């Protein structure tokens, strides 16, 4: 019986230690999510403005441009998957990877080959474990992304898009990320970036007409200059929303883990007390039985 009490004491001590770790990680996520939300809010005006500018150029001018023209029979698509570097965030990465798999199955059903680009060690580990190929992976700072990383990814994807499909280029670019709406709502989202498919996060008036622009020297040159910036801004905005979503999921997961650890401590304490009470009762019973045996003799 004493050994059982020692086991419960060890379980209580280890659970309390884990509870402290969970609480610390929850506090860290809570302290960082405010800044992440500010970065998301700060990125939206620029991303939406450049999206509207590109949309205005492409919709108001009857021009043929490689970055806005639909291919009749697209053969290959690039898929960028934004996951996390670290765990302890609930089902955050699992949800993203599930939506990525659904997108890949849909593209394959349409007869398209896929080039996969990954952000985050969780996505890399998922594909490595299954021995599945991917073109390139970027890891590090998924919970605090930098614009230089978004520019690097954008340049890589645009170069692949401009390359002929016979030489390994792609006809479409898709991004799978988690859109941040609030601390309690984060939605896995799939967006097609190219050929141009406008997706604006904030639209105050859906009937508002695009402003009229005069172009010099030509609309094609304007698109050449704007569209790489459009891709960079959209990817960076997606990375910022993914980082805020990751921190929100980690905050909730660590709070839930801490609450569960607290419940386990209470449960183990109750069982330890019951075991101690049973041990005392047994000792008293043995003493009484011994005294009765002595008096009877």
């Amino acid at each position: 019986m004493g050994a059982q009490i020692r086991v419960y004491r060890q379980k209580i001590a280890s659970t309390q230690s884990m509870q402290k770790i969970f609480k610390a990680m929850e506090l860290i996520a809570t302290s960082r999510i405010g800044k992440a939300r500010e970065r998301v809010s700060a990125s939206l005006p620029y991303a939406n403005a450049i999206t509207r500018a590109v949309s205005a150029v492409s919709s108001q001018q009857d021009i043929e441009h490689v970055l806005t023209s639909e291919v009749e029979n697209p053969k290959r698509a690039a898929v960028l998957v934004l996951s996390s570097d670290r765990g302890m965030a609930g089902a955050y990465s699992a949800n993203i990877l599930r939506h990525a798999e659904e997108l890949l199955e849909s593209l394959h059903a349409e007869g398209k080959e896929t080039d996969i680009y990954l952000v985050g060690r969780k996505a890399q580990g998922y594909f490595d474990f299954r021995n599945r190929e991917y073109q390139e992976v970027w890891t590090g700072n998924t919970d605090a992304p930098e614009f230089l990383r978004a520019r690097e990814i954008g340049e890589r994807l645009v170069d692949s898009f401009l390359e002929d499909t016979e030489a390994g280029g792609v006809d479409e670019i898709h991004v799978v990320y988690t859109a941040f709406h609030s601390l309690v709502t984060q939605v896995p989202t799939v967006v097609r970036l190219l050929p141009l498919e406008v997706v604006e996060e904030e639209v105050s008036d859906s009937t508002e007409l695009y402003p009229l622009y005069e172009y010099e020297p030509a609309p094609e040159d304007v698109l050449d200059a704007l569209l790489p910036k459009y891709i960079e801004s959209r990817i960076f905005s997606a990375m910022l929303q993914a980082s805020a979503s990751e921190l929100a999921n980690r905050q909730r997961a660590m709070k839930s883990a801490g609450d569960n650890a607290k419940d386990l401590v209470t449960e183990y304490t109750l069982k330890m007390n019951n075991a101690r009470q049973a041990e005392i009762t047994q000792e008293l019973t043995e003493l009484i039985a011994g005294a009765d045996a002595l008096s009877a003799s």
Side-chain angles (χ1 to χ4, degrees):
M1 193 68 70
Q4 189 177 10
I5 293 176
R6 285 195 297 272
V7 169
Y8 284 129
R9 283 176 177 169
Q10 292 173 356
K11 288 184 176 181
I12 290 173
S14 61
T15 305
Q16 288 176 335
S17 177
M18 292 298 296
Q19 184 181 6
K20 292 178 181 178
I21 295 174
F22 296 148
K23 184 62 176 180
M25 295 186 68
E26 178 190 352
L27 292 176
I28 292 172
T30 302
S31 65
R32 298 181 63 183
I33 196 170
K35 183 177 180 180
R37 294 176 64 185
E38 291 177 359
R39 295 185 71 190
V40 170
S41 299
S43 71
L44 289 179
Y46 177 78
N48 288 338
I50 197 168
T51 297
R52 291 183 62 81
V54 172
S55 302
V57 177
S58 59
S59 62
Q60 294 173 3
Q61 299 293 320
D62 186 16
I63 59 175
E64 290 291 331
H65 194 278
V66 65
L67 297 180
T68 58
S69 301
E70 293 276 354
V71 178
E72 289 188 5
N73 296 310
K75 300 178 181 179
R76 184 183 294 271
V79 177
L80 175 65
V81 183
L82 303 182
S83 70
S84 65
D85 281 325
R86 298 186 294 132
M88 298 290 191
Y92 169 75
S93 291
N95 289 335
I96 279 295
L97 292 170
R98 185 175 70 252
H99 279 74
E101 289 286 15
E102 292 174 357
L103 173 62
L104 292 172
E105 290 179 5
S106 175
L107 293 173
H108 291 158
E110 296 172 1
K112 302 173 185 176
E113 299 180 12
T114 55
D115 288 347
I116 302 173
Y117 297 85
L118 307 176
V119 175
R121 293 188 180 92
K122 287 297 180 181
Q124 182 184 17
Y126 177 86
F127 282 87
D128 284 343
F129 180 76
R130 290 160 178 77
N131 294 320
R132 295 171 60 180
E133 295 184 357
Y134 49 84
Q135 300 300 312
E136 197 165 347
V137 60
W138 294 269
T139 59
N141 298 328
T142 57
D143 54 356
E146 300 176 352
F147 182 73
L148 291 178
R149 174 62 56 84
R151 174 175 294 175
E152 179 184 351
I153 297 172
E155 290 175 351
R156 178 69 176 86
L157 293 176
V158 171
D159 289 343
S160 179
F161 186 79
L162 295 176
E163 191 174 2
D164 189 84
T165 54
E166 299 297 331
V170 298
D171 298 315
E172 298 175 355
I173 296 177
H174 301 262
V175 179
V176 186
Y177 70 101
T178 304
F180 180 86
H181 296 289
S182 67
L183 286 175
V184 295
T185 306
Q186 301 89 39
V187 182
T189 305
V190 177
V191 174
R192 193 188 79 178
L193 292 184
L194 291 177
L196 180 61
E197 185 175 75
V198 179
V199 179
E200 295 191 26
E201 286 90 346
E202 297 179 353
V203 179
S204 59
D205 185 2
S206 59
T207 61
E208 183 182 356
L209 297 177
Y210 291 128
L212 295 175
Y213 295 105
E214 294 183 0
Y215 311 99
E216 288 188 7
E220 291 83 353
D221 297 328
V222 175
L223 285 177
D224 287 339
L226 281 182
L227 277 166
K229 298 183 181 299
Y230 160 78
I231 294 298
E232 293 170 4
S233 66
R234 300 303 297 190
I235 290 177
F236 187 52
S237 177
M239 292 173 68
L240 289 176
Q241 294 195 57
S243 70
S245 299
E246 177 185 346
L247 291 170
N249 277 268
R250 181 167 292 115
Q251 179 191 34
R252 289 200 305 272
M254 291 300 97
K255 184 179 187 307
S256 178
D259 293 342
N260 292 337
K262 183 179 180 181
D263 294 339
L264 278 176
V265 169
T266 302
E267 180 182 348
Y268 289 147
T269 302
L270 179 61
K271 289 183 177 180
M272 184 184 68
N273 292 336
N274 290 338
R276 183 185 293 113
Q277 184 178 8
E279 182 179 9
I280 295 172
T281 302
Q282 182 178 354
E283 291 177 353
L284 288 174
T285 302
E286 292 173 352
L287 288 172
I288 294 172
D292 290 343
L294 288 174
S295 62
S297 62

